[in-house]
Amino acid sequence: MPSLFDDERFLPLESRTQKRLARSQFQLQHAEAEINGLRYHLRQAQLQVEETRRIAEQSQALVAAMETSKFWKLRGLWFKVKGKLKGVLRLQSEKKSQKLIGNAGLLEKAPLISEALIKLESGKIKSAAYQDSVPESRVNQALISHTKTADIIVCVHNSLEDVKCCLDSVVRYTRMPYSLILVDDGSGEETKEYLKHFAEYQGATLIRNEAAKGYTFAANQGLHKSSSNYAILLNSDTIVTPYWLDRIIACGESDSQIGIVGPLSNSATWQSIPELFNDRGDDWAENPLPQGISVEEMSEVVAEYSGILYPRITFLNGFCLAIKREVIEQVGYFDEVAFGAGYGEENDYCLRTRKAGWQLAIADDAYVYHHGSRSYNHERRKKLCDKANLALAEKHGVEIISEGVEVCRFDPVLQGIRSRCQVMLERRKYIEEGKKLWEGKRVFFILPIAGVGGGGNIVLHEAEAMIKMGVDVRIVNLAPFKEGFEKGYPENKVPVIYVEKETNIPWLFPSCDAILGTFYASVFWLNSITPDVNIPIRGYYIQDFEPYFFTHEMNGFIDAWLSYTLYPDLVRICKTEWDREMVQQQVGVDSFVGGATVNIDTYRPRCQKLINTSKQPVRILAMIRPTSPRRAPKLTMEILREIDRRYGDRVEILIFGCHSKELDIFELPQDFSFQNLEVLNRSQVAWIMNQIDIFVDYSVFQAQGLTAMEAMCSGCAIIVPQRGGTVEFVKHEENGLIVDSSSPEACLEALERLIIDENLRAKIQRQAIKDVCEFYPEKGAFYTLKSLFYADKIRGHEND
């Protein structure tokens, strides 16, 4: 019986010729792919005999080792034993390999090996079902008012206007309990009188030096006077912001090992956001506030987009230092001998504190504005800095200072914070503009999924962004999928409507302004049952070119093809330019582009990989989807197996995305050392991304490549296929590697480059963290809404 594809009656009249041409092109591409696949398998078959002999020899050696080990202390060999054993024992059922196995002496050893595996499996190391042990990333918690006492120490030397702004902000934005200690270090008469009256009126403690002694002496005077749980050294040229002290103390109390805390700022060396250095790269950035943004508004945005990660750091800037009482009692005070003139004293104190076993942390949800070096001119500041650096190197040594600077500059968590701060104001603007245009609109996404998937992730994080814009967004899912969906997305914030079957969806039309299908079948569900129903804006949220999922003989092919032209009023919104081009070239209709997006809040660097990482194995992660041939599961496992064969303990291989039984059912290679984390939810994926160095995707094509974007967000070096939309966010050899995934040799070579070349890997990881933040969800949500509600106007403008 001929398929629907061969029956021209089922195709639109205006494009029959075009469909026939497209069909021929598709068949040609499919044939070429099959030929390439046969060539590849031929090459693999030529190596099979040699590979089988090698496996048998290695397995025999492992058996001998186990026989001589009295206490089975072979857990480190577990993955290799099990993987290689499975490969060898599988050959027992193949007649052509029985002689080889017999010669290797493995048949009579099988019972012994099985017993060993049972003993080893009862231990801590297992090859599968790791999802229960993968923790989820921490979710931000509500801010609580601090209860620890604090002494805020402000050392003053003239600059009265700055002092007034500083003290006014402290009084306005600091919640009790706290006390003020003012140290007037030889200021002029006007500043002296102001401080005297301020102290009397506010009940502050005032210490007066008739002649200036320098910041180090003044700070020590304040520290000696302090007796609270925290002593806060605050420069007089700062402006504090709402809840600043609560946030700083919350950071300090989050871990008993934290001894000193500092906030983010515009001008605070390594704590500066969004830039560290000026445009010339020869000095620290001052990061002036954007026009129309107040200090208070800036702090609000910083707190809103903070991951509350409390990153550890090796040096904290002295403009705002919160020191625990226990640190002062153990470490003492600033070094007045070596750093009496000021500058360098806080770096020395940080080094001494770390040597005493304490950690330094940044309260990344706190922001304190810093004018910077108002008390000294540029020339004097430079001389003081140079002198302090020499004293610091002489006291502690150059090596520990250099290592500390390396951490401050390149730590992935700090890089992730800075990169997100670069786009946080743009995100806020998209939200504000979206509220003006679409607040109160109601949009439904038909998302019939029973578990975690890239398509669901994208819909949900953009739906959350729309909610911030005041749009009433609902997910429409099928009731039979409820349990799996809620298990896969336990942290989902978007309301879900469950319907018993797809025929119930048209009854929702009067309840919404726009409704979007998210895969080809759901577009067919947008058809009105009765003519009197008011049909909302109907959209197709296109995340892939779905006819490529099928051969033309398969039932879904024709439906996927027709879904793009099913209704004359259908608004097509593609995620990438590649999607749009595929629909245009193959089907002959145009679409809008919403843009690739990724949840940069959930996926971000969270683990700090400081120094000495070169001694650790390079950790490689891949997502394996056996039921999706376009994701190249067999090729990926074969490449990983070859990497394991070549590099052994120098690498650690992890996979996720499928259950272990699927690997068996689809006969994917397993005769090598790897861990299967199985199926993970969003938070678990965010956590595991922070534990790896390289993420590989050898798909035949990737319309967007969301998982690769998530890996970039987390600070991983990635490999992606050249065919698809990945080239829209990956720059080859800058923030990732792009490969011809039809070539196994190219795939293997790219992964080997990242394993061997540590400098290339680190460079790509750093650039990826920065570049991927440009693809935040608010942007895609905005352009999706714009396409939906202004489609006719945009099309009319384009025609003009």
Side-chain angles (χ1 to χ4, degrees), residues 466-527:
M466 292 178 184
I467 290 174
K468 294 178 183 177
M469 297 175 187
V471 179
D472 184 358
V473 182
R474 307 294 173 97
I475 299 299
V476 180
N477 201 346
L478 299 178
F481 296 161
K482 181 177 180 179
E483 182 178 355
F485 178 83
E486 294 183 352
K487 181 179 179 181
Y489 294 100
E491 79 293 356
N492 174 46
K493 301 175 184 177
V494 184
V496 182
I497 300 172
Y498 292 101
V499 296
E500 289 299 326
K501 50 187 177 180
E502 59 270 19
T503 53
N504 297 132
I505 290 176
W507 297 106
L508 300 174
F509 285 1
S511 305
C512 62
D513 299 293
I515 186 167
L516 298 96
T518 59
F519 86 113
Y520 74 92
S522 63
V523 179
F524 287 82
W525 305 344
L526 299 179
N527 193 26

Side-chain angles (χ1 to χ4, degrees), residues 269-547:
T269 57
W270 305 116
Q271 293 152 251
S272 298
I273 58 169
E275 299 290 350
L276 283 180
F277 306 109
N278 62 20
D279 293 337
R280 300 185 304 275
D282 60 357
D283 201 354
W284 299 106
E286 294 184 3
N287 293 304
L289 293 173
Q291 187 175 3
I293 299 294
S294 67
V295 174
E296 293 78 10
E297 289 172 326
M298 189 69 173
S299 72
E300 181 183 339
V301 179
V302 167
E304 179 181 354
Y305 291 105
S306 169
I308 312 184
L309 304 173
Y310 301 150
R312 305 312 193 254
I313 195 169
T314 48
F315 294 108
L316 282 168
N317 190 285
F319 85 110
C320 180
L321 283 179
I323 310 172
K324 283 183 177 178
R325 173 58 44 196
E326 295 86 348
V327 172
I328 298 174
E329 292 172 351
Q330 181 180 356
V331 179
Y333 300 89
F334 288 165
D335 186 344
E336 298 177 358
V337 176
F339 306 99
Y343 284 88
E345 75 288 336
E346 77 271 32
N347 288 333
D348 169 66
Y349 200 77
C350 288
L351 287 168
R352 288 158 54 197
T353 301
R354 288 173 53 216
K355 288 178 180 179
W358 294 91
Q359 296 178 355
L360 318 179
I362 297 176
D364 54 310
D365 57 341
Y367 180 84
V368 174
Y369 187 81
H370 185 211
H371 288 292
S373 301
R374 294 294 188 96
S375 298
Y376 302 109
N377 60 40
H378 178 74
E379 291 302 321
R380 187 182 178 193
R381 179 169 63 91
K382 187 177 184 303
K383 289 180 180 179
L384 289 171
C385 285
D386 292 342
K387 182 179 179 181
N389 289 337
L390 290 173
L392 201 66
E394 183 177 351
K395 183 174 181 179
H396 296 280
V398 174
E399 184 176 354
I400 189 173
I401 297 171
S402 299
E403 288 179 353
V405 169
E406 188 82 1
V407 170
C408 291
R409 185 169 187 176
F410 295 120
D411 174 69
V413 179
L414 296 175
Q415 287 184 309
I417 290 170
R418 296 180 196 120
S419 299
R420 281 153 183 77
C421 287
Q422 288 177 334
V423 299
M424 63 185 180
L425 292 176
E426 294 177 11
R427 297 175 70 182
R428 170 70 68 93
K429 287 182 180 178
Y430 274 111
I431 291 173
E432 293 173 350
E433 189 65 22
K435 284 182 178 179
K436 294 177 184 177
L437 297 172
W438 304 299
E439 186 170 21
K441 293 288 188 181
R442 177 171 283 193
V443 176
F444 291 176
F445 284 91
I446 304 176
L447 187 65
I449 59 174
V452 179
N457 291 354
I458 294 174
V459 170
L460 289 173
H461 71 234
E462 289 197 12
E464 291 174 8
M466 292 178 184
I467 290 174
K468 294 178 183 177
M469 297 175 187
V471 179
D472 184 358
V473 182
R474 307 294 173 97
I475 299 299
V476 180
N477 201 346
L478 299 178
F481 296 161
K482 181 177 180 179
E483 182 178 355
F485 178 83
E486 294 183 352
K487 181 179 179 181
Y489 294 100
E491 79 293 356
N492 174 46
K493 301 175 184 177
V494 184
V496 182
I497 300 172
Y498 292 101
V499 296
E500 289 299 326
K501 50 187 177 180
E502 59 270 19
T503 53
N504 297 132
I505 290 176
W507 297 106
L508 300 174
F509 285 1
S511 305
C512 62
D513 299 293
I515 186 167
L516 298 96
T518 59
F519 86 113
Y520 74 92
S522 63
V523 179
F524 287 82
W525 305 344
L526 299 179
N527 193 26
S528 179
I529 296 177
T530 57
D532 59 330
V533 173
N534 183 27
I535 300 176
I537 296 172
R538 293 183 287 191
Y540 186 2
Y541 189 81
I542 302 169
Q543 302 184 65
D544 219 319
F545 188 66
E546 293 177 341

Side-chain angles (χ1 to χ4, degrees), residues 544-793:
D544 219 319
F545 188 66
E546 293 177 341
Y548 279 170
F549 292 5
F550 312 95
T551 63
H552 69 272
E553 293 88 359
M554 297 177 69
N555 292 334
F557 180 86
I558 190 63
D559 285 344
W561 193 285
L562 292 177
S563 65
Y564 300 109
T565 57
L566 199 58
Y567 313 110
D569 62 337
L570 186 67
V571 179
R572 292 171 292 274
I573 307 169
C574 294
K575 292 308 302 168
T576 63
E577 239 347 280
W578 182 85
D579 274 333
R580 189 196 67 78
E581 290 175 3
M582 288 300 101
V583 175
Q584 173 65 47
Q585 293 172 8
Q586 302 295 338
V587 185
V589 292
D590 205 358
S591 311
F592 299 102
V593 177
T597 60
V598 61
N599 189 336
I600 65 174
D601 299 315
T602 297
Y603 300 93
R604 61 188 302 161
R606 296 177 184 273
C607 294
Q608 295 182 279
K609 306 168 186 176
L610 301 183
I611 55 176
N612 296 327
T613 56
S614 60
K615 296 181 181 179
Q616 304 298 323
V618 177
R619 307 193 78 188
I620 304 165
L621 180 69
M623 184 170 69
I624 303 297
R625 291 286 173 83
T627 57
S628 300
R630 67 186 183 280
R631 300 294 178 243
K634 185 175 182 181
L635 171 65
T636 303
M637 293 296 283
E638 289 172 341
I639 296 293
L640 295 177
R641 177 176 62 186
E642 182 61 21
I643 288 295
D644 176 66
R645 186 183 72 82
R646 296 188 182 188
Y647 295 94
D649 293 339
R650 292 173 57 189
V651 298
E652 187 174 347
I653 298 171
L654 303 95
I655 67 170
F656 77 103
C658 68
H659 296 286
S660 293
K661 62 184 179 182
E662 294 180 72
L663 300 176
D664 294 325
I665 292 172
F666 287 87
E667 298 184 342
L668 296 181
Q670 299 179 63
D671 52 335
F672 64 100
S673 174
F674 71 95
Q675 300 177 32
N676 184 12
L677 307 180
E678 299 207 342
V679 180
L680 307 176
N681 62 35
R682 284 190 295 184
S683 295
Q684 290 172 327
V685 172
W687 184 87
I688 198 63
M689 289 291 190
N690 270 266
Q691 315 304 316
I692 65 164
D693 303 292
I694 302 169
F695 174 78
V696 298
D697 182 349
Y698 295 132
S699 298
V700 177
F701 66 92
Q702 271 288 9
Q704 173 174 324
L706 178 66
T707 312
M709 296 183 81
E710 293 167 349
M712 292 174 71
C713 286
S714 305
C716 305
I718 64 166
I719 301 174
V720 295
Q722 67 181 11
R723 186 182 181 198
T726 55
V727 296
E728 296 176 29
F729 60 86
V730 179
K731 301 173 185 176
H732 185 56
E733 296 188 344
E734 292 184 25
N735 60 16
L737 295 184
I738 301 173
V739 298
D740 177 3
S741 57
S742 66
S743 168
E745 295 83 3
C747 294
L748 180 61
E749 179 186 0
L751 183 50
E752 285 195 285
R753 283 187 67 192
L754 291 180
I755 293 171
I756 297 171
D757 193 338
E758 293 182 21
N759 292 330
L760 175 64
R761 187 170 72 240
K763 169 194 166 186
I764 287 176
Q765 289 169 340
R766 292 165 186 163
Q767 195 62 40
I769 291 172
K770 180 178 180 180
D771 291 350
V772 77
C773 285
E774 296 292 335
F775 299 89
Y776 46 85
E778 291 81 359
K779 188 186 296 183
F782 182 89
Y783 286 109
T784 295
L785 292 172
K786 183 178 180 180
S787 301
L788 273 178
F789 293 109
Y790 291 97
D792 293 338
K793 294 182 180 180

